[in-house]
Amino acid sequence: NAGVTQTPKFQVLKTGQSMTLQCAQDMNHEYMSWYRQDPGMGLRLIHYSVGAGITDQGEVPNGYNVSRSTTEDFPLRLLSAAPSQTSVYFCASRKEGTEAFFGQGTRLTVV
Amino acid sequence: LAKTTQPISMDSYEGQEVNITCSHNNIATNDYITWYQQFPSQGPRFIIQGYKTKVTNEVASLFIPADRKSSTLSLPRVSLSDTAVYYCLVGDRRNTGFQKLVFGTGTRLLVSP
């Protein structure tokens, strides 16, 4: 049981490039979400999903897209990377009424 | 959405008991209080959750007074490995999304030898 797996762990992008951060969970959780964490700050919710085919925006959705074609996977797409998107990104999943499980994070630097 | 207030940072020494208090004055009837712990370069992990009175597990205790407007996370006999950021969250555990799973900035606990 791997839990929540994020890839890659580290990534450097040039301004304007696009990329997809991968998140997969093997716990059959309905709910998945993406957070970003800037240095010394708390986590801010980007997008979340309550099931396959259903996604919604969180606090800071601009510049990011998500889709949920399967229960297991919830990729986060950066459409045109900007230096302001330099951050650590965490994916989380949970079942209704239970605590959230987080991945180890993806450290993204946009130059 | 119940807003929470916690101290920004706390210092302690190994072997001491640490109590971190969280204020949540407008907590709703269906809201639970949940604490997460985050080590550097890792994602947060669940520590404890409670609704009222006292909850204890192998890691911590959670004290909730009768009016539920605050809660206290108690870490007995801390060690260096308890150095982390601790987040207090308040929300309806039945909610269908993550909109109410708001982490804030948490309390940064530093344990020294």
Side-chain angles (χ1 to χ4, degrees):
Chain A
N1 195 341
V4 179
T5 302
Q6 292 183 234
T7 55
K9 288 186 169 51
F10 301 93
Q11 182 71 50
V12 179
L13 287 179
K14 292 183 178 179
T15 298
Q17 285 185 318
S18 63
M19 80 158 294
T20 299
L21 308 185
Q22 301 292 344
C23 176
Q25 52 94 6
D26 60 359
M27 298 173 283
N28 200 31
H29 286 173
E30 309 101 308
Y31 309 139
M32 296 186 74
S33 64
W34 277 101
Y35 291 84
R36 62 175 287 175
Q37 186 171 36
D38 300 327
M41 304 290 287
L43 287 85
R44 291 186 291 171
L45 181 64
I46 305 172
H47 286 285
Y48 67 96
S49 169
V50 300
I54 306 169
T55 64
D56 206 344
Q57 298 179 350
E59 305 169 73
V60 288
N62 293 338
Y64 308 95
N65 273 357
V66 293
S67 60
R68 183 96 179 271
S69 56
T70 67
T71 299
E72 294 78 20
D73 300 301
F74 191 44
L76 178 72
R77 297 183 188 86
L78 278 71
L79 308 174
S80 176
S84 61
Q85 293 179 304
T86 293
S87 189
V88 180
Y89 292 83
F90 290 102
C91 177
S93 75
R94 67 176 176 134
K95 291 187 76 68
E96 181 177 342
T98 69
E99 72 271 22
F101 293 83
F102 284 80
Q104 289 298 300
T106 295
R107 187 174 297 273
L108 175 68
T109 301
V110 182
V111 298
Chain B
L1 175 59
K3 179 180 168 60
T4 61
T5 303
Q6 342 174 197
I8 293 174
S9 63
M10 295 182 68
D11 295 320
S12 183
Y13 293 97
E14 283 189 293
Q16 290 189 332
E17 178 184 72
V18 171
N19 295 309
I20 305 174
T21 297
C22 179
S23 297
H24 27 81
N25 291 320
N26 57 342
I27 188 170
T29 302
N30 291 329
D31 285 345
Y32 281 70
I33 301 150
T34 310
W35 286 80
Y36 285 81
Q37 174 190 55
Q38 184 180 25
F39 297 117
S41 301
Q42 293 187 27
R45 68 166 190 163
F46 171 85
I47 302 178
I48 199 166
Q49 183 180 72
Y51 184 80
K52 61 180 179 180
T53 62
K54 177 184 175 183
V55 179
T56 298
N57 62 22
E58 65 279 5
V59 176
S61 294
L62 178 60
F63 298 93
I64 305 168
D67 66 6
R68 304 200 328 122
K69 293 184 183 300
S70 66
S71 59
T72 299
L73 175 73
S74 181
L75 305 172
R77 297 181 299 281
V78 295
S79 64
L80 297 178
S81 62
D82 291 315
T83 292
V85 179
Y86 293 83
Y87 297 95
C88 166
L89 283 72
V90 174
D92 185 344
R93 64 188 293 185
R94 302 168 301 170
N95 79 71
T96 57
F98 278 87
Q99 286 176 310
K100 294 186 178 180
L101 208 57
V102 177
F103 278 79
T105 54
T107 296
R108 191 172 299 273
L109 173 65
L110 175 63
V111 180
S112 301

